[in-house]
Amino acid sequence: MALAIAFYLLAAVTVGAGFGVVSSRNPVHSVLFLILSFFSAAGLFVTMGAEFLAMLLVVVYVGAVAVLFLFVVMMLDVDFAALRQGFARYMPLGGLVAGILAIEMIVVATAVATGGTPKADTPQVYGDVSNIEAIGRVLYTDYVYFFQAAGLVLLVAMIGAIVLTLRHKPGVRRQVIVDQVARTPKTGMRVVQIKPGQGIDQ
Amino acid sequence: MDAVANNFWTTPGGWTLITVAQILAVVLPLLVALAFFMLADRKIWAGVQMRKGPNVVGPFGLLQSFADLIKFVLKEIVIPDGADKFVFLLAPVLTFVLAMVGWAVIPFAPGWVVSDINVGVLYLFAISSLGVYGIIMGGWASNSKYPFLGSLRSAAQMVSYEVSIGFVIVTVILLSGTMNLQKIVELQSGGFWNWNVFGGPGLANLPLALIMVPMAVIFFISALAETNRPPFDLPEAESELVAGYQVEYSSSPFLLFMIGELVNIVLMCALISVMFFGGWQAPIDLPWVASWPPTVQSFYGLMWFVMKICFFFFLIGMVKAIVPRYRYDQLMRLGWKVFLPTSLVAVVLVAAWRVFGPGGA
């Protein structure tokens, strides 16, 4: 019973926060709602016994991705009145996409509800190990190529972003920490004997 | 009678009751200890600068933190004009709560842990990565330039150093083979040479100390950056940003920020002790300890754990007193160009040792 209460509470918060994301006027509030929704989704994972996925969701999406969202949204002075101008024009297309998504979800939900979870009779191969180990074993054996490919895709995206934004300005003096640390009194200063009336000969 | 009692504690009501009691048993001593940690921090700082530090309230200034507490609580809460009121007040609460919930998985002594979960390390990592929100929200909601700049700095800084913290944690997980903090501590039993900082259980792993000692150092420094402590206190750099994200805060919200920050620091000290320095394990296993009653043994373990926390807190206090603040680009360089590659290589080396080294798979 406690599990059911937890599920309905978390699900309600997730959906409510989802509405908050699209309905709030302030973009920062939208991102904060998004974070709340991620967080409750992580809670839903925990109720299903997938605590590893829940933690990953929090670490990756809440801890890193949403921080960057917030970062960008706070820096950009987004004018929502201007964004809403094209609302009527994009309405049909947006409605179409939303409709297709809703139909797909209903089809899946009815299929599960009437026919039971697909492959529910699949034997639990990794029955006694924690789900970290179970995921690890599957990820690094059966799906290792897909896993590595996903990593490569991310690497390409990262390198692309760096190449697009990296600019080397010529003539800029940069700090070279190694040189600084390697400096000794001998290379760093010069002791000069100054005779009165002569000054330093440079 | 006993069976009835057992049944009660397994019902939802009894379970809730006992969990709340456990949480209070952690939080209340922690908050009291915090008052003295705060004082210790100021005293260490003062000592390095040849000052006396707080010495007026109570003997040796011992009650200074309590006087500060009363002062903060009784002051008026000022909410700046044009501030986002809800987010403004939510931010300090969030910081405080997130700092507190991390303690749920910290093993204080054999069997003494509020929530003994399988993914304890990841949980702590997740909680500490959430800590940035309190700061960003506070800085943004203040509707002021200095807090905003401070919060932007902190966002970039904490996200950067989390990466190296994550890799360091992975090396520890590789050594232990589990993410359960209680098990990580149990595996380091037997003596200080079995601690993860010296390569984990067994003398055969001692060469790993060459990797794990630098990892512990990297973790310590990253923890400083993660908790916005000097020399990485750029989010609140008082000489540049007045007080960074905290500028507009007063009274209890400011107190919550301050306590939250301090709790985070002590939590990081606890985490270093658990992951690298054996948690509640004594440095040398005394044979007669095993014959003591279990409760006494638990307190014995707790004593070692608290001593280790105090030691690392002392180190952090000393760093604050003797190290000047980093410049922002130097901070980023250290995080991305030094710590990240070093810890990445260390992960590969430790993994290789685990597979090809003695006792490898």
Side-chain angles (χ1 to χ4, degrees):
Chain A
M1 188 198 65
L3 208 61
I5 294 175
F7 170 76
Y8 283 113
L9 197 69
L10 288 166
V13 172
T14 311
V15 174
F19 273 114
V21 175
V22 287
S23 64
S24 56
R25 298 191 144 267
N26 191 326
V28 174
H29 289 176
S30 287
V31 179
L32 293 178
F33 272 122
L34 185 67
I35 293 160
L36 180 61
S37 132
F38 280 150
F39 206 78
S40 350
L44 286 175
F45 272 126
V46 173
T47 60
M48 286 188 288
E51 71 266 11
F52 179 68
L53 283 181
M55 291 304 151
L56 274 199
L57 188 69
V58 173
V59 170
V60 175
Y61 283 91
V62 184
V65 173
V67 171
L68 295 182
F69 278 1
L70 205 56
F71 206 82
V72 171
V73 163
M74 286 195 315
M75 301 257 270
L76 300 174
D77 197 12
V78 183
D79 186 5
F80 257 45
L83 275 183
R84 275 169 208 274
Q85 271 175 358
F87 185 71
R89 205 149 51 87
Y90 298 123
M91 180 74 180
L93 190 63
L96 186 70
V97 173
I100 293 172
L101 275 180
I103 290 168
E104 281 177 354
M105 275 197 269
I106 289 168
V107 168
V108 172
T110 44
V112 171
T114 54
T117 323
K119 290 187 180 177
D121 53 341
T122 313
Q124 292 268 308
V125 184
Y126 310 114
D128 54 336
V129 298
S130 67
N131 60 43
I132 306 166
E133 267 185 83
I135 289 176
R137 284 186 191 174
V138 176
L139 213 54
Y140 289 99
T141 54
D142 299 351
Y143 300 108
V144 64
Y145 296 119
F146 298 105
F147 185 63
Q148 296 293 335
L152 275 181
V153 169
L154 288 175
L155 183 69
V156 168
M158 194 167 78
I159 294 175
I162 293 173
V163 167
L164 283 177
T165 53
L166 187 69
R167 281 183 184 77
H168 276 296
K169 256 193 237 167
V172 176
R173 287 169 66 89
R174 291 184 189 281
Q175 184 180 26
V176 185
I177 303 240
V178 181
D179 285 1
Q180 280 185 339
V181 175
R183 258 161 74 108
T184 57
K186 258 184 199 153
T187 58
M189 62 183 184
R190 188 162 58 101
V191 182
V192 186
Q193 200 79 41
I194 305 170
K195 299 220 170 66
Q198 288 185 348
I200 308 173
D201 59 318
Q202 279 295 348
Chain B
M1 182 65 208
D2 208 36
V4 174
N6 278 337
N7 281 339
F8 175 69
W9 294 124
T10 50
T11 58
W15 181 84
T16 311
L17 213 63
I18 203 163
T19 308
V20 169
Q22 283 173 341
I23 292 170
L24 287 179
V26 172
V27 168
L28 293 181
L30 180 67
L31 283 178
V32 174
L34 219 56
F36 296 104
F37 272 126
M38 178 84 80
L39 181 75
D41 191 25
R42 294 170 69 174
K43 281 281 191 189
I44 293 167
W45 201 9
V48 172
Q49 297 177 344
M50 298 175 84
R51 292 185 285 119
K52 279 189 174 164
N55 63 349
V56 177
V57 189
F60 311 109
L62 276 178
L63 301 178
Q64 178 67 42
S65 302
F66 298 98
D68 287 345
L69 173 81
I70 293 168
K71 184 187 76 178
F72 277 124
V73 171
L74 293 184
K75 274 189 174 177
E76 185 192 353
I77 299 179
V78 181
I79 296 177
D81 212 25
D84 192 317
K85 200 169 168 186
F86 180 73
V87 180
F88 184 79
L89 291 178
L90 181 65
V93 176
L94 196 72
T95 303
F96 179 75
V97 170
L98 284 177
M100 279 304 187
V101 292
W103 288 90
V105 293
I106 296 285
F108 290 92
W112 286 13
V113 50
V114 177
S115 176
D116 194 15
I117 57 176
N118 272 334
V119 288
V121 176
L122 260 186
Y123 170 84
L124 269 178
F125 188 54
I127 292 299
S128 79
S129 70
L130 290 184
V132 66
Y133 281 112
I135 293 172
I136 301 188
M137 283 161 68
W140 175 79
S142 297
N143 190 31
S144 167
K145 287 189 184 62
Y146 287 130
F148 188 59
L149 285 173
S151 68
L152 287 184
R153 279 182 175 189
S154 107
Q157 168 180 338
M158 290 172 87
V159 170
S160 307
Y161 278 82
E162 246 155 45
V163 182
S164 58
I165 283 197
F167 280 122
V168 174
I169 288 178
V170 169
T171 60
V172 174
I173 294 173
L174 282 173
L175 279 186
S176 310
T178 173
M179 291 199 193
N180 184 318
L181 287 168
Q182 187 72 272
K183 282 192 190 128
I184 289 180
V185 175
E186 275 163 15
L187 280 170
Q188 302 178 58
S189 65
F192 66 86
W193 53 88
N194 286 339
W195 292 354
N196 278 339
V197 71
F198 297 117
L203 278 174
N205 282 327
L206 206 56
L208 266 187
L210 284 177
I211 302 171
M212 292 315 284
V213 171
M215 284 300 104
V217 173
I218 286 183
F219 188 88
F220 179 77
I221 298 174
S222 300
L224 291 177
E226 188 77 1
T227 51
N228 297 325
R229 280 287 289 195
F232 306 109
D233 59 339
L234 287 131
E236 44 180 295
E238 62 269 19
S239 49
E240 304 162 29
L241 297 177
V242 194
Y245 62 94
Q246 304 171 336
V247 173
E248 305 288 351
Y249 282 90
S250 57
S251 184
S252 333
F254 178 75
L255 179 73
L256 286 180
F257 259 135
M258 214 167 63
I259 295 184
E261 212 170 80
L262 199 66
V263 172
N264 261 330
I265 293 162
V266 182
L267 182 67
M268 280 297 176
C269 297
L271 198 54
I272 298 175
S273 341
V274 165
M275 293 206 314
F276 290 101
F277 294 89
W280 40 259
Q281 304 280 5
I284 291 177
D285 231 359
L286 300 173
W288 54 85
V289 173
S291 61
W292 291 351
T295 321
V296 181
Q297 277 189 42
S298 288
F299 274 105
Y300 179 71
L302 182 68
M303 181 194 79
W304 280 111
F305 189 50
V306 171
M307 271 167 56
K308 285 171 191 172
I309 291 180
C310 290
F311 173 72
F312 288 110
F313 191 82
F314 174 74
L315 285 191
I316 288 182
M318 285 300 281
V319 169
K320 176 184 183 176
I322 60 182
V323 180
R325 183 179 299 132
Y326 259 49
R327 212 172 60 203
Y328 199 71
D329 60 317
Q330 293 170 334
L331 172 94
M332 285 294 160
R333 175 192 163 271
L334 186 69
W336 289 106
K337 291 189 178 171
V338 180
F339 285 175
L340 178 62
T342 314
S343 50
L344 197 57
V345 170
V347 167
V348 174
L349 290 178
V350 172
W353 180 273
R354 287 286 289 166
V355 175
F356 301 112

